[in-house]
Amino acid sequence: MVHLSRVQTGLQKDHPAELAHKASQLHLANYEDDFTTSIYGSRFAREDLPKNQMPESEMPKEVAYQMIRDQLSLDGNPKLNLASFVSTYMEEEALKLMTDAFPTNFIDYEEYPYTADIQNRCVNMIADLFHADDNAIGTSTVGSSEAIMLAVLAMKRRWKTARKAAGKSAENPNIIMSSAVQVCWEKAARYFEIEEKYVDCTRERFTIDPETAVSLVDENTIGIVSILGTTYTGHYEDTKAINDLLIAKNIDCPIHVDAASGGFVAPFVVPDLEWDFRLEKVVSINVSGHKYGLVHPGVGWAVWRSCEHLPKELIFNINYLGAEQSSFTLNFSKGASQVIGQYYQLIRLGKKGYRAIMSNLIRTADHLSVHLQELGFILMSETSGAGLPLVAFRFADDGEKGAIEGRHYDEFALAAVLRARGWIVPAYTMAPKTDGLKMLRVVCREDFSRARADDLISDIKLCLDVLAKSDKKALENAKENVRQHISGHAKKDQNQVTHEYKDEKHSLQGKHGKTHAVC
C-alpha cells in the first residue's frame, strides 16, 4: 500500500493581503557568468539563439550542443522520409571510420596517400561493376550532380574540339534527354550554355523514346542522356535500344548513362541488363554512392570509358604540398569521410551483401505495390526488379478500374494527411505533356523493412478514410497548412521575405509545372 504524506516545509502560508507587498520584494536570478547551473537554468535558455549575426561572446559547449540539437529535433524523422533516395542507415563501425576521417583533407594526396589509394580502389571496383576495361578512368565527386556536371563538360569539350578541327562552328551545342530528368541536368545545360532537347513523356510512357531521341541528333548534339532509374517512377530507360539505333544509322553520338540511383541496384538484381560499358556508344556513367551505394551524403562517382572521352585540356596537374596530382573536379578541398564510408561498404558487404539488400528492397517494394493496388491505386512503377525499388502510384481517374466515385481529393491531399501521421510521402506533378498527371512515390531504402511498409499501408488506409469524410475546403486548408507550417523554410522563419528569384520561368517546373523532385 502506498501512503500519502503531507509535505512539510516549515513555512507559514501567506495571507492574500500580504501577496502584493511580497511581490515588490521579488528577486529573479540573473547570473552574469556563463554557466553556473543546468543548461535550461542558464541565461542561454531564455535568450534567442543567434540567427543573423555572430554573437560577441562564447557559450559553453554543452549549451551550444543542446540548443542546436533541440532545434534539429523539430525536423522530420529521416526513417519516415520516403521522399529521399539518400541513405539513412550505416553501421556503427562505418560511422566511426568516417568520424575519424573528418580532419582529413582528401585533396592532399602526399599527406594522406592511403586515403587517395582508397579512392582509387573504389573507382576500380565500381568501374568493374559497370564492365569497364583497363582503359577506364574515374573520380569521386560530392554527388551525382557534380559527376553529371563533369560528364557534360567532357562531352561538350570533346564535341567543340572536333568541330574546330573540322573547321566548323562550335556554337549552339545541344543535349538530348527525357523530360523526366532530375533538375541537375537542367542546371548543367543552363550553366554550360547548352540547348536542351527534350523527349517528352506521356501519360502512358514515363521514359525516353529511343526512336525520337535518335531522330533529334544533329551536328550540334554533344550526347544523349539515358537514365538508369528515373527519379519519378524508377524506370530503367532503354540504353541498349538507343545504342543499337545509333550504330544502325551510323550516327557518331555518345551516350551518358545517369545511373545515380540504379548503378548500385541493376548490377545485383538484373545483371544481364545491358546498359553500361558493354554498349559501344556509352562513354561515361555517373552513380551516387549516397543512394543505393549505401553511404550517408554526399559522395558520387564518375567513370569514363577511356581517356579519349575525357579531354586532356580539362585536367589540371597541381603540385600541392609537394605531390603532383591530376585533378578534374568542380571544387578542391573536401573531407575524406564519405569516400572512406564507400570503401567500407564495398568490402564489408561485397557483392553478396549488396545483392541481399537490393533483393530485399525489391521484395518490399513488390509487397507494397500489391497492397496499394488492392486499395484501388494505379501503379506507375515497375515490379519484380525491372526498375528501382520504389513504388510510384496515383488515384484512378473516372472510368479507370478502382476509381473512387465522387472523389474530391487528390494525391497532394493524401500526402498532407500522411504528413500529419509523421510520414513524408511526396506528391508530384509529372513531366510536361502528361496532362498534369499527379502521383505519389515511396522510395524503399535499406532501412525500410516489410514491417515498416505494413505500418505505412495501415496509415494509408486510415488516411483514405479521413479524406473520404472531409469536405473539400477542409482538405485545401490542410494542404496549405502543410505548405506554410510544416514543409520547407516557412516553419523555420515565419517572417521570411519572398526572395526575388521566386517564380522563375526558365525551368521545366517554371514553364510547365513539373515538380522538381527530391532525390
Side-chain angles (χ1 to χ4, degrees), residues 317-335:
N317 292 310
I318 302 165
N319 190 297
Y320 185 63
L321 298 180
E324 190 78 9
Q325 306 164 27
S326 295
S327 174
F328 184 38
T329 177
L330 296 182
N331 63 351
F332 198 64
S333 294
K334 68 176 180 180

Side-chain angles (χ1 to χ4, degrees), residues 3 79 81 125 170 189 206 223 254 263 270 322 341 344 352 443 451 475:
H3 296 276
K79 303 289 186 183
N81 180 8
M125 292 179 188
F206 309 129
V270 282
Y344 173 89
K352 181 180 179 181
V443 177
L475 293 176

Side-chain angles (χ1 to χ4, degrees), residues 83-86 143-146 148-149 152 175 177-190 196 198 201 206 225-233 237 258-261 286 288 290-291 388 428 431 441 507-509 514-519:
S84 177
F85 289 89
V86 174
S144 271
S145 291
E146 184 187 6
I148 285 167
M149 300 282 180
V152 170
I175 190 168
M177 51 193 171
S178 162
S179 61
V181 290
Q182 212 272 341
V183 68
C184 62
W185 281 102
E186 295 185 61
K187 289 182 178 180
R190 182 160 292 269
E196 304 133 285
Y198 289 112
C201 298
F206 309 129
V225 179
S226 182
I227 309 171
L228 189 74
T230 60
T231 300
Y232 294 92
T233 59
E237 294 190 325
D258 180 359
S261 298
N286 69 274
S288 292
H290 58 229
K291 293 182 181 176
L388 294 178
Y428 298 125
R441 187 195 69 196
S507 69
L508 287 176
Q509 177 171 291
K514 167 193 172 185
T515 305
H516 282 157
V518 174
C519 69

Side-chain angles (χ1 to χ4, degrees), residues 207-208 210 226-227 236-243 273-274 279:
T207 58
I208 198 168
S226 182
I227 309 171
Y236 296 151
E237 294 190 325
D238 196 344
T239 308
K240 188 176 188 305
I242 298 172
N243 176 84
L273 179 68
E274 294 183 57
L279 303 177

Side-chain angles (χ1 to χ4, degrees), residues 7 35 51 103 134 157 160-161 175 180 221 242 275 288 297 301 336 375 378 383 399 423 431 466 469 481:
V7 176
F35 191 42
K51 292 184 176 66
D134 290 342
R157 180 56 62 95
K160 184 176 181 180
T161 300
I175 190 168
T221 300
I242 298 172
W275 60 272
S288 292
W301 303 91
L375 291 174
I378 301 294
T383 58
W423 298 100
V466 170
K469 296 176 181 177
N481 179 67

